């Protein structure tokens, strides 16, 4: 692993920024119900394998110098490992999640308790929303998914709470039911040229949403169906290092062509629940972070 952008390509220089994230160990992980097409409760899962794979993700993040907090897992809430769905945190405010399916609803208050204890201001949700699963900060704008989980009324709630532009994107394929299965944020802080780039899966969106993405992100990486089909887009970037599903081979090449450093991790056991790298990672966006804290992390 390296945090120095390659100098021998034509791709723009990339800068890693230190990330501050929340994760949840999958001690109680299993697939005991079906709320997305990936889940097959009739098939066995291996909790210790899930924990081991999750630990490899933690190890990578530690090597990258990330600041990681952990929320205690709760017995009976097997999906709690997908911390990205636990809320949306920005500007010191945590907008709590209000899960659509009863099986996950107790996670909302559990995550809000953690946010409060961490000193964040909690905005209790009135509208159904699944946190960072559907809300992604790109540049200064919040892109908000709807169609399967988060209600579009939650986008209005977001705009009121944060006073930022919120752009609604409609998802149309049930296999890509959260926005973070269909868009990867590659530049969590604007890049040197002021832009923030993404990768996305075209077939996951309706036409009006696609038009928005094409206009706003002309240099985006267009993901292949093959890579998206293993949740390859469900990745997490520090602006240079992009942690992705190990099997997302073409996505790794596309990232390299653009000057990023892909790092593959095998989370196949957690894929059985319908989640990947990004689902396990809630970006806490601490107040005061931004390009000003961009730094070379010196990891080798
Ligand atoms: C990228 N994705 C999908 C996520 N952000 N979250 C995964 C949630 C999985 C859970 N079984 C569910 O269906 O809610």
């Amino acid at each position: 692993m390296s945090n120095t952008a390659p100098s021998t390509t034509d791709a723009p220089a990339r800068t890693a920024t230190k990330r501050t994230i929340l994760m949840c160990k999958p001690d109680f992980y299993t697939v005991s119900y079906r709320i997305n097409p990936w889940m097959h409760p009739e098939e066995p899962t291996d909790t210790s394998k899930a924990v081991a794979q999750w630990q490899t993700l933690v190890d990578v993040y530690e090597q990258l110098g990330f600041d990681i907090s952990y929320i205690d897992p709760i017995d009976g809430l097997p999906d709690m490992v997908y911390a990205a769905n636990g809320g949306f945190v920005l500007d010191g405010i945590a907008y709590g999640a209000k899960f659509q399916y009863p099986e996950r609803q107790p996670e909302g208050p559990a995550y809000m308790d953690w946010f409060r204890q961490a000193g964040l201001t909690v905005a209790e949700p009135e509208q159904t929303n699944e946190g960072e699963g559907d809300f992604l900060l790109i540049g200064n704008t919040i892109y908000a998914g709807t169609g399967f989980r988060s209600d579009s009324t939650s986008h209005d709630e977001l705009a009121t709470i944060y006073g930022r532009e919120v752009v609604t994107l409609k998802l149309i394929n049930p296999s890509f039911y959260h926005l973070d299965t269909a868009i990867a944020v590659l530049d969590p802080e604007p890049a040197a040229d002021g832009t923030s780039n993404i990768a996305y899966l075209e077939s996951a969106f309706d036409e009006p949403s696609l038009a928005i993405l094409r206009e706003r992100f002309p240099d985006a990486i267009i993901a292949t169906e093959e890579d998206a089909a293993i949740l390859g887009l469900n990745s997490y970037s520090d602006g240079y290092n992009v942690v992705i599903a190990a099997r997302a081979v073409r996505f790794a090449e596309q990232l390299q062509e653009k000057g990023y450093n892909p790092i593959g991790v095998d989370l196949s056991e957690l894929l059985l629940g319908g989640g990947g790298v990004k689902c396990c990672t809630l970006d806490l966006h601490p107040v005061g972070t931004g390009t000003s804290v961009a730094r070379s992390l010196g990891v080798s």
Side-chain angles (χ1 to χ4, degrees):
M1 270 178 264
S2 161
N3 281 280
T4 309
S7 56
T8 51
T9 74
D10 291 335
R14 305 290 175 190
T15 307
T17 57
K18 182 180 177 178
R19 310 312 304 165
T20 302
I21 59 174
L22 177 63
M23 300 182 76
C24 181
K25 192 176 178 191
D27 279 337
F28 303 109
Y29 172 77
T30 187
V31 176
S32 54
Y33 49 80
R34 181 173 165 89
I35 58 171
N36 71 54
W38 305 82
M39 301 174 85
H40 297 283
E42 67 284 3
E43 290 169 13
T45 48
D46 182 338
T47 305
S48 54
K49 186 173 171 190
V51 170
Q53 291 184 342
W54 176 87
Q55 188 59 50
T56 62
L57 179 63
V58 171
D59 293 346
V60 168
Y61 286 162
E62 280 181 350
Q63 281 184 289
L64 294 175
F66 293 4
D67 184 348
I68 311 174
S69 294
Y70 300 93
I71 181 172
D72 289 335
I74 298 174
D75 196 357
L77 297 179
D79 276 337
M80 211 171 155
V81 58
Y82 305 115
N85 308 151
F88 178 75
V89 182
L90 184 62
D91 302 335
I93 304 169
Y95 174 44
K98 188 172 174 191
F99 285 88
Q100 181 179 126
Y101 290 102
E103 291 89 339
R104 297 200 69 184
Q105 281 165 2
E107 293 182 45
Y111 274 93
M112 280 189 269
D113 283 348
W114 188 91
F115 296 139
R116 267 185 212 100
Q117 280 161 24
L120 294 160
T121 300
V122 171
E124 298 256 357
E126 292 197 356
Q127 309 302 333
T128 299
N129 83 86
E130 300 200 355
E132 227 182 61
D134 271 326
F135 306 146
L136 297 173
L137 179 70
I138 310 172
N140 286 318
T141 298
I142 302 168
Y143 289 80
T146 190
F148 297 101
R149 297 293 180 87
S150 299
D151 197 283
S152 61
T153 52
S154 68
H155 304 181
D156 302 330
E157 210 169 15
L158 262 183
T160 304
I161 291 167
Y162 293 103
R164 291 180 183 241
E165 180 189 32
V166 175
V167 173
T168 293
L169 298 172
K170 177 125 191 253
L171 297 161
I172 56 170
N173 181 339
S175 290
F176 304 106
Y177 55 95
H178 276 147
L179 190 61
D180 69 357
T181 63
I183 289 183
V185 180
L186 302 179
D187 300 317
E189 316 290 344
D193 61 2
T195 60
S196 294
N197 209 5
I198 62 169
Y200 65 93
L201 177 69
E202 291 181 306
S203 65
F205 296 95
D206 72 359
E207 273 306 322
S209 305
L210 261 186
I212 292 170
L213 292 172
R214 287 180 179 137
E215 191 200 327
R216 293 189 174 217
F217 302 100
D219 296 326
I221 290 175
I222 304 301
T224 63
E225 297 287 337
E226 291 73 20
D227 285 342
I230 47 145
L231 288 187
L233 280 171
N234 194 246
S235 56
Y236 189 66
S237 172
D238 68 7
Y240 172 49
N241 303 290
V242 189
V243 186
I244 66 171
R247 286 158 60 207
V249 181
R250 177 63 193 133
F251 186 34
E253 290 170 354
Q254 290 171 307
L255 288 166
Q256 274 168 335
E257 287 159 13
K258 294 267 188 193
Y260 297 97
N261 180 41
I263 300 170
V265 171
D266 177 13
L267 291 188
S268 53
E269 195 62 26
L270 292 166
L271 190 60
L272 303 177
V277 170
K278 176 64 188 65
C279 301
C280 297
T281 315
L282 178 70
D283 197 322
L284 291 170
H285 298 121
V287 177
T289 57
T291 47
S292 59
V293 297
R295 63 188 183 123
S296 177
L297 295 166
V299 180
S300 59

